[in-house]
Amino acid sequence: MLVEKYANEVETILAKYPADQKRSAVMPLLYLAQREGGYVTRQDMEDIAQVLEITPTDVASIVGFYTLYYEEPGGKFRLQVCNDLPCALRGADEFLEKLCENLGIKVGQTTPDGTVTVEAVMCLAGCDKAPLFQVQSGDGLKYHENQTVESALGVIEELKTRGTQS
Amino acid sequence: MSEHILLRHRDIPDLNQLEVYRKHGGFEAFRKAVRSMKPGEVTDVVKASGLRGRGGAGFPTGMKWSFLPKDNPKPRYLCVNADESEPGTYKDRVIIERDPHRLIEAIVVSCHAIRSQTAYVYIRGEFHEGARTLEAALAEARAKGYVGKNILGTGIDVEIHVHRGAGSYECGEETALIESLEGKRGQPRIRPPFPAVVGLYGCPTIVNNVETLVCVPLILERGGEWFANYGTEKNGGPKLYSISGHVKRPGSYEAPMGKVTLRELIFGPGYAQGIREGHMLKAVVPGGSSTPVLTADEIDVRMDFDGVAKAGSMLGSAGAIVMDDSTCMVWMAKNLTAFYKHESCGKCSPCREGTGWMLRLLTRIEDGEAGEKDLDLLWKVTDSIAGKTVCPFGDAAVAPPQSTLKKFRDEFLYHVREKQCWRKVASTFAIATARAGSGVSA
């Protein structure tokens, strides 16, 4: 169970909020739940609900609302390219298309070895350093700015070799 | 180029370390505030400075603070809005990542002013790096007694917590931010009551943007009068500008607010240095994606709240998105509308349904599958959203389609008459219309 496994961290998280406002801890607890598998399981939602004294449906509604929580497993690493207007003006659309072409997948798909899921996401607040993407995995979230298809493929190779980004 | 104040990390290496920060006057404003000023006096100085909120609305900060009820026995909260998510904007991120102790001092001083003992920094989930930097700075500040109980022996308690968002633009709206912080979906509340009266956990709450807050210690250091005079009338203080898009040198720039024009920011040698080679300026979204677009001949505007408003747009978050003549304005409106459709929180029907409707229409127009009547329909849809939602998101979402329809109607007409995007036939719209020769741009 999540709460037993990360007892200290759960306690630290809960201590940030007033004792009678435990529900506030739902977002950090969901991040904790995602740390290993990269997504939130039904069991995690039930565990979190129990700790916070809310219903699993309440927890699921949070998972569904916020884009950084996942209900389904994806690739080990989610490579997320921003292609909002400022990034698109600096070639993010072409970058995303060519990157996917090189990987032999479509946007939203995962490489056959299960390593990388490539997705398009909304603004990452790095407009001046486009094309850019973030890599999300259980062990963190990291920006890669001023990218080319070649440099991005290099990042992917390294992720594959190291198996971790932290 | 003017003095770096908000961007002084560019001149001072390792400013993210407490020792370095202290060597450069760090926490002097705090000492001054708690040793010689009552909370009300700090608020008075902030009022005198004329500081206006940097999150986009430009509301006077001192006035916002004074809305806190005097006789409410409940605890008070300060929520720091670090949910920077507006396309074209990356100013707060710079402060958080490079000058985190400045933000910490700003929070402590502001908490003293509003008599709050707890602050939450609501930082967007994508700023993992920023959150880590801030947590590290907080640990350092806490260990040295600058945050926590009895700060520097003054008897003042301020605890600061970092709360990561999880990918929702709407949470930058102050009541949605509060909802999210309470562990709910990030949807706005109907106001009144305003957060100053009923905010986080039903308690009096102030929500201020990062860039706004870091102006507070500056005001204490240099005086309210100095701040008010640094910039233009009613638009005092230093300001960060984010310039992105088709410019030679995109990035964050600083100037006394309004002492720089949009033209200077785009073409000035100390700023973005002009449009990329071989192209001409076509349009600028001056203050983040939700501000109406300006044409190439509307850029001689002072970049302050009132100057940009006079030109029919908004300073917003001061993130200027610059587009050259290769840009199709229908595509541009579609791209931004896709953002708003994705980010609509779903609370109000006009916005939830309307953003999808606008996106479908714009996609059809761009693909050459729409008729002229669809342009009127698009306008009608925008009109059915604007002013009809709980929060300003609805108004923000219609800014791109409405302003492009108004100012670049020729391009919309080209798409519906020629049944394709002009980018398929030419590198600029002028060439495309000359080739069409069918009176498209009539």
Side-chain angles (χ1 to χ4, degrees):
Chain A
M1 206 176 149
L2 181 76
V3 184
E4 286 154 9
K5 192 163 181 187
Y6 297 106
N8 288 339
E9 272 184 79
V10 171
E11 209 170 298
T12 310
I13 289 170
L14 286 173
K16 285 185 175 184
Y17 311 97
D20 58 347
Q21 303 289 348
K22 281 199 278 192
R23 188 181 170 138
S24 280
V26 66
M27 292 173 77
L29 288 181
L30 284 168
Y31 276 125
L32 195 59
Q34 275 194 170
R35 191 178 291 171
E36 275 173 37
Y39 75 108
V40 185
T41 65
R42 203 156 263 263
Q43 186 62 48
D44 293 331
M45 292 191 216
E46 281 174 23
D47 292 353
I48 291 171
Q50 206 184 339
V51 179
L52 303 181
E53 295 166 48
I54 55 180
T55 67
T57 310
D58 287 332
V59 180
S61 80
I62 301 301
V63 176
F65 185 84
Y66 296 94
T67 53
L68 292 182
Y69 301 128
Y70 302 94
E71 286 178 86
E72 303 284 340
K76 187 165 184 193
F77 302 98
R78 290 176 190 270
L79 190 154
Q80 302 172 317
V81 182
C82 171
N83 62 349
D84 275 339
L85 181 65
C87 286
L89 293 173
R90 294 178 63 80
D93 283 327
E94 294 80 6
F95 167 79
L96 179 60
E97 196 187 314
K98 291 218 173 87
L99 179 63
C100 285
E101 223 175 82
N102 265 278
L103 295 169
I105 56 172
K106 287 191 178 126
V107 178
Q109 291 181 340
T110 305
T111 51
D113 63 357
T115 319
V116 177
T117 307
V118 178
E119 296 167 318
V121 292
M122 297 295 147
C123 184
L124 297 177
C127 322
D128 56 332
K129 299 184 180 72
L132 82 152
F133 57 83
Q134 61 182 10
V135 175
Q136 235 198 116
S137 59
D139 61 343
L141 188 159
K142 208 173 154 197
Y143 275 35
H144 298 267
E145 301 176 315
N146 293 316
Q147 291 290 306
T148 60
V149 173
E150 291 69 37
S151 66
L153 290 170
V155 170
I156 292 172
E157 269 318 303
E158 207 186 320
L159 288 173
K160 282 184 179 174
T161 318
R162 292 178 54 198
T164 167
Q165 63 167 333
S166 56
Chain B
M1 284 271 283
S2 44
E3 181 192 356
H4 279 152
I5 298 174
L6 301 172
L7 293 179
R8 63 187 189 137
H9 67 269
R10 290 192 179 161
D11 310 318
I12 307 171
D14 302 320
L15 190 59
N16 61 337
Q17 291 167 21
L18 183 56
E19 266 321 297
V20 178
Y21 179 71
R22 277 194 39 205
K23 254 184 223 150
H24 289 88
F27 287 99
E28 287 307 316
F30 169 77
R31 285 174 208 276
K32 184 176 173 185
V34 297
R35 294 213 173 121
S36 59
M37 296 169 87
K38 292 195 178 103
E41 288 172 349
V42 178
T43 305
D44 287 344
V45 176
V46 171
K47 269 189 188 164
S49 76
L51 170 63
R52 295 170 71 175
R54 266 57 170 159
F59 192 82
T61 306
M63 195 188 290
K64 197 177 200 180
W65 288 3
S66 66
F67 291 156
L68 286 164
K70 307 254 175 310
D71 47 2
N72 191 325
K74 288 181 177 173
R76 293 173 167 193
Y77 290 103
L78 174 68
C79 293
V80 182
N81 190 341
D83 192 49
E84 181 168 65
S85 318
E86 169 120 346
T89 315
Y90 43 90
K91 61 187 184 65
D92 299 334
R93 180 183 163 202
V94 176
I95 296 169
I96 296 163
E97 290 182 359
R98 306 287 174 197
D99 201 359
H101 288 290
R102 190 55 162 177
L103 179 58
I104 292 170
E105 180 177 11
I107 294 169
V108 175
V109 170
S110 302
C111 277
H112 172 59
I114 64 168
R115 289 185 286 124
S116 162
Q117 297 184 337
T118 313
Y120 289 99
V121 181
Y122 189 100
I123 184 166
R124 65 176 297 192
E126 289 83 349
F127 288 176
H128 195 245
E129 192 64 38
R132 277 217 292 224
T133 304
L134 194 55
E135 291 275 21
L138 269 174
E140 210 184 350
R142 208 174 276 132
K144 297 268 166 67
Y146 290 95
V147 170
K149 294 252 181 255
N150 191 19
I151 297 175
L152 303 182
T154 56
I156 287 172
D157 303 339
V158 175
E159 195 42 79
I160 304 174
H161 303 290
V162 177
H163 182 101
R164 282 178 72 206
S168 165
Y169 168 74
E170 176 59 15
C171 291
E173 195 280 335
E174 61 178 13
T175 60
L177 182 151
I178 289 170
E179 284 281 301
S180 179
L181 195 46
E182 289 184 358
K184 300 168 192 159
R185 297 158 73 91
Q187 295 185 317
R189 295 174 179 174
I190 291 171
R191 297 175 293 183
F194 287 90
V197 182
V198 182
L200 183 64
Y201 310 134
C203 301
T205 301
I206 293 296
V207 185
N208 284 142
N209 168 264
V210 169
E211 189 190 355
T212 310
L213 282 174
V214 296
C215 287
V216 175
L218 177 67
I219 290 165
L220 293 180
E221 287 160 2
R222 304 199 191 188
E225 198 181 333
W226 172 86
F227 190 90
N229 292 322
Y230 191 82
T232 52
E233 203 189 342
K234 291 186 180 150
N235 292 271
K239 182 75 194 90
L240 290 179
Y241 299 96
S242 324
I243 315 296
S244 64
H246 290 146
V247 289
K248 285 187 184 142
R249 211 179 61 159
S252 300
Y253 299 97
E254 176 179 339
M257 185 165 359
K259 292 282 189 184
V260 65
T261 65
L262 187 51
R263 180 180 300 281
E264 285 166 319
L265 283 173
I266 297 169
F267 291 98
Y271 301 102
Q273 298 182 0
I275 305 301
R276 60 180 180 163
E277 283 313 322
H279 290 275
M280 277 162 53
L281 175 67
K282 180 173 193 171
V284 190
V285 176
S289 57
S290 48
T291 59
V293 68
L294 298 175
T295 62
D297 40 21
E298 293 175 321
I299 61 167
D300 290 304
V301 294
R302 257 176 28 212
M303 282 296 274
D304 59 31
F305 291 110
D306 302 322
V308 190
K310 225 183 196 170
S313 188
M314 287 183 293
L315 180 68
S317 59
I321 308 169
V322 182
M323 290 160 277
D324 68 22
D325 52 8
S326 71
T327 315
C328 165
M329 299 310 284
V330 174
W331 166 83
M332 172 270 194
K334 187 193 78 171
N335 182 299
L336 288 181
T337 303
F339 171 81
Y340 286 103
K341 180 193 177 287
H342 183 268
E343 298 296 338
S344 175
C345 80
K347 181 168 182 142
C348 312
S349 308
C351 171
R352 183 187 62 239
E353 303 303 323
T355 47
W357 203 348
M358 293 195 301
L359 180 59
R360 288 192 294 278
L361 275 166
L362 284 161
T363 305
R364 281 177 49 211
I365 296 167
E366 194 201 11
D367 293 347
E369 291 164 6
E372 227 166 302
K373 276 187 182 163
D374 289 317
L375 303 188
D376 299 331
L377 180 60
L378 177 59
W379 185 267
K380 212 173 146 187
V381 177
T382 64
D383 212 33
S384 310
I385 301 172
K388 297 175 181 69
T389 54
V390 165
C391 84
F393 187 111
D395 297 338
V398 303
Q402 275 196 344
S403 59
T404 46
L405 259 176
K406 253 191 234 164
K407 295 183 180 173
F408 296 92
R409 195 171 175 83
D410 287 358
E411 292 195 35
F412 283 81
L413 285 172
Y414 183 100
H415 285 77
V416 297
R417 291 181 186 166
E418 299 291 319
K419 300 293 177 198
Q420 64 179 345
C421 178
W422 60 258
R423 286 205 294 197
K424 297 233 171 189
V425 299
S427 56
T428 70
F429 183 58
I431 300 173
T433 42
R435 281 192 197 153
S438 59
V440 155
S441 58

